[in-house]
Amino acid sequence: MQIGYTLMCEQAGPRELVRFAAEAEEAGFPFAVMSDHYFPWLDSQGHSPYAWSVLGAVAQATQRLELMTYVTCPTVRYHPAVVAQKAATVGLLSDGRFTLGLGAGENLNEHVVGGGWPPVNVRHDMLGEALDIIDALFDGGYVTYQGKHFHVDSAKLWDLPEHRVPIGVAVSGPQSVRAFAPKADVMISTEPDPELGPQWDAESRGSGTARKVGQLPVSWDADADAAVARAHDQFRWFAGGWKVNAELPGTAAFAGASQFVRPEDVAQQIPCGDDVEKIVEGVRPFVEAGYTDVALVQIGGDAQGPFLEAATKEILPALAEAFG
């Protein structure tokens, strides 16, 4: 089990994110994942810089830290041919430390280009086509593609890393695993569902046990009440679940959908305070479900320093002792 760090673009500006990445590497995290949003979920989070510019800077500010988008939607806001070019470039800038994490997207971020928001079955069809295009461009050579949703006219990536950029896909159930495991290398999921991993390994294009990356939000603070209040203020949006969250169009909608979520509801779902054992128990279901990696999300852009200090002294050693 590898424990990673989340560079959360919705709660910090670009310069701060680059600094957090360098500090996370120094703290001992082996990898970091980065969200790719146009909007935060709630106004109180207050940020959303362009993830790919930040990734380029992070690649130069770090030496060992593996990087991953968690996740990029390659279908509406971005054309998949452009995503392939961005991913190859970050792969080069990071000397092969980058994994391209992809997903079917959220209305929150994709509506900004005015193309509408298709139903989930269409979004999955679009993602499948996007994966085919990106995969073909990673092969090198010219690519021409005529699909139902995307067209590519004689595209070629002129700068490819020596080692192919691995592709991860976010999945939530058997249907999405069947659709995307044959087209990807890494499984991504925020829920520790023990049935997803074995199905992914059976259907993946790779051989053996694939990398499986989960994520756990935490609110580390010596003041437990402050930790709960911050988590409620900035992270109560999660309570709707992804089937709802993927459809909401903006921060006002998330505020309305989460208005009845209480602080105690958030505290039941997210480890809050400075009890390391709560984080260990939060990670445990992912370990038991066969995940290979879990990225921790420290809630609050102004609360990263104490968390990173605690990660070095307490959190990472405790997780290493518990899970190896």
Side-chain angles (χ1 to χ4, degrees):
M1 169 61 68
Q2 286 198 114
I3 301 300
Y5 175 75
T6 299
L7 295 162
M8 195 170 180
C9 291
E10 299 76 40
Q11 63 180 18
R15 290 173 293 185
E16 290 77 17
L17 289 164
V18 175
R19 175 166 55 85
F20 295 158
E23 292 174 355
E25 181 177 72
E26 186 177 351
F29 286 100
F31 76 97
V33 304
M34 179 179 285
S35 53
D36 184 358
H37 274 218
Y38 201 94
F39 269 71
W41 286 282
L42 295 167
D43 287 351
S44 57
Q45 293 176 311
H47 295 275
S48 202
Y50 184 54
W52 292 88
S53 298
V54 179
L55 279 168
V58 167
Q60 301 305 293
T62 57
Q63 296 179 333
R64 303 175 306 278
L65 195 69
E66 291 185 45
L67 304 172
M68 175 188 287
T69 47
Y70 201 100
V71 291
T72 288
C73 175
T75 59
V76 179
R77 188 166 37 118
Y78 306 135
H79 190 283
V82 177
V83 172
Q85 184 188 35
K86 294 191 288 191
T89 300
V90 175
L92 284 166
L93 289 171
S94 64
D95 293 323
R97 292 182 281 133
F98 179 64
T99 296
L100 175 61
L102 300 173
E106 301 168 69
N107 193 14
L108 175 69
N109 306 300
E110 308 309 313
H111 79 273
V112 297
V113 296
W117 187 234
V120 65
N121 61 313
V122 175
R123 301 199 300 264
H124 281 189
D125 287 344
M126 294 172 73
L127 180 56
E129 286 193 13
L131 285 163
D132 291 339
I133 292 166
I134 293 167
D135 211 39
L137 286 165
F138 282 176
D139 285 339
Y142 287 91
V143 174
T144 296
Y145 184 92
Q146 296 292 326
K148 181 178 179 181
H149 303 286
F150 296 109
H151 298 239
V152 179
D153 182 14
S154 191
K156 173 183 167 68
L157 297 181
W158 289 90
D159 292 279
L160 281 167
E162 179 180 356
H163 299 289
R164 187 187 187 92
V165 174
I167 297 174
V169 178
V171 294
S172 58
Q175 182 178 355
S176 53
V177 172
R178 281 193 301 271
F180 304 127
K183 300 174 182 281
D185 311 295
V186 178
M187 187 188 94
I188 297 170
S189 181
T190 57
E191 298 294 334
D193 185 339
E195 296 182 2
L196 294 181
Q199 184 188 358
W200 181 279
D201 289 337
E203 308 213 26
S204 173
R205 66 183 180 184
S207 58
T209 301
R211 187 179 184 189
K212 303 172 184 69
V213 186
Q215 192 176 53
L216 178 71
V218 304
S219 187
W220 181 268
D221 200 299
D223 184 336
D225 291 337
V228 172
R230 185 172 64 245
H232 179 259
D233 179 52
Q234 296 195 22
F235 236 77
R236 66 184 184 276
W237 58 267
F238 79 93
W242 288 111
K243 288 186 178 181
V244 173
N245 292 347
E247 308 299 333
L248 299 179
T251 56
F254 276 92
S258 62
Q259 63 182 308
F260 298 114
V261 178
R262 303 168 301 172
E264 53 266 38
D265 299 326
V266 174
Q268 288 179 355
Q269 299 294 320
I270 295 174
C272 294
D274 59 359
D275 186 346
V276 177
E277 190 58 30
K278 288 183 178 180
I279 298 178
V280 171
E281 291 309 307
V283 170
R284 189 177 303 280
F286 289 96
V287 176
E288 294 174 348
Y291 284 65
T292 60
D293 306 74
V294 172
L296 302 180
V297 185
Q298 166 64 355
I299 298 170
D302 59 353
Q304 301 302 303
F307 169 76
L308 289 167
E309 183 178 352
T312 302
K313 296 178 180 179
E314 303 176 63
I315 300 170
L316 290 176
L319 290 167
E321 181 178 356
F323 307 121

